[in-house]
Amino acid sequence: MTCRDTLTTERLTLRPFTPDDFAAVHAWASNPANVRFMAWGPNTEDDTRWFLSQTKQGKDFAVVLSETGAVIGSCGIYPDDANDTAELGWILHMDYWKKGYGAELCGELIRYGFEDLELRRIKTPCAAPNYGSYRIMERNGMRREALHVKGFWARVDKEWVDEAVYAILREEYYEQKG
């Protein structure tokens, strides 16, 4: 198992957070429209400072545009204690939605999980109405495994919505990779 601090894709660098990332993180974390389908937020400044103080290298990453150095989101991979299964998560500032960055970072987290961390299974829950999120997972070969009826509290909308769970197994990843 090889835990890495920085991951790179064609257009992105996934790197550890720094205190200088506060303004960028708070720009999306405090925006109700941006965090509509997140289990947290909208953040106060203290919430964002707490988040930045809790990030873990090799698990939590700032999503940076390689070309400009702009921090446009965050993502993470969270293995269980047995390092067998991990859960993925991500958020991008809404100014960067629908540009393929989500699919790109998700693909790199999946690669990292199977090739570097040697996981057996990766899963990701999302609010079922969150089309952008589940399309990112589908584009990366993840399949819907479950639908939990009214299983997710949508904090911004103040309502219970269905929660979908997507997953991919190591053997599926390598089959798709060819």
Side-chain angles (χ1 to χ4, degrees):
M1 177 180 90
T2 305
C3 191
R4 295 175 45 196
D5 291 343
T6 302
L7 306 172
T8 57
T9 69
E10 182 181 333
R11 302 178 294 165
L12 303 172
T13 301
L14 310 181
R15 62 148 173 87
F17 284 96
T18 71
D20 293 339
D21 297 331
F22 174 83
V25 172
H26 197 62
W28 70 74
S30 63
N31 181 337
N34 214 123
V35 300
R36 180 175 178 215
F37 292 120
M38 303 306 287
W40 50 268
N43 280 9
T44 64
E45 287 187 0
D46 286 342
D47 293 333
T48 300
R49 280 189 201 90
W50 179 86
F51 165 75
L52 288 169
S53 75
Q54 299 300 307
T55 61
K56 294 179 178 37
Q57 285 190 242
K59 293 183 180 175
D60 295 297
F61 300 93
V63 179
V64 180
L65 287 178
S66 298
E67 189 174 299
T68 65
V71 177
I72 64 166
S74 67
C75 64
I77 184 166
Y78 309 101
D80 62 11
D81 290 339
N83 202 55
D84 176 67
T85 298
E87 187 170 297
L88 303 182
W90 60 81
I91 185 168
L92 292 173
H93 189 289
M94 61 194 310
D95 290 350
Y96 298 92
W97 291 355
K98 298 182 181 178
K99 298 179 187 312
Y101 297 126
E104 196 170 320
L105 74 85
C106 179
E108 178 58 14
L109 289 176
I110 290 170
R111 186 213 59 76
Y112 175 57
F114 290 129
E115 295 183 20
D116 295 348
L117 301 180
E118 302 174 4
L119 296 167
R120 179 187 66 83
R121 182 173 183 274
I122 294 174
K123 66 179 180 171
T124 307
C126 77
N130 189 348
Y131 175 81
S133 202
Y134 74 73
R135 283 299 296 143
I136 286 168
M137 292 180 264
E138 291 171 350
R139 285 187 179 133
N140 280 284
M142 299 180 84
R143 68 190 137 51
R144 184 179 282 196
E145 281 192 339
L147 182 68
H148 303 285
V149 177
K150 293 192 177 187
F152 179 84
W153 177 247
R155 293 167 54 113
V156 171
D157 295 339
K158 296 184 177 15
E159 67 178 336
W160 288 98
V161 299
D162 295 349
E163 179 183 54
V165 179
Y166 285 75
I168 186 170
L169 297 170
R170 178 183 4 210
E171 56 264 29
E172 293 170 324
Y173 167 76
Y174 282 107
E175 272 178 30
Q176 292 170 17
K177 189 176 172 189

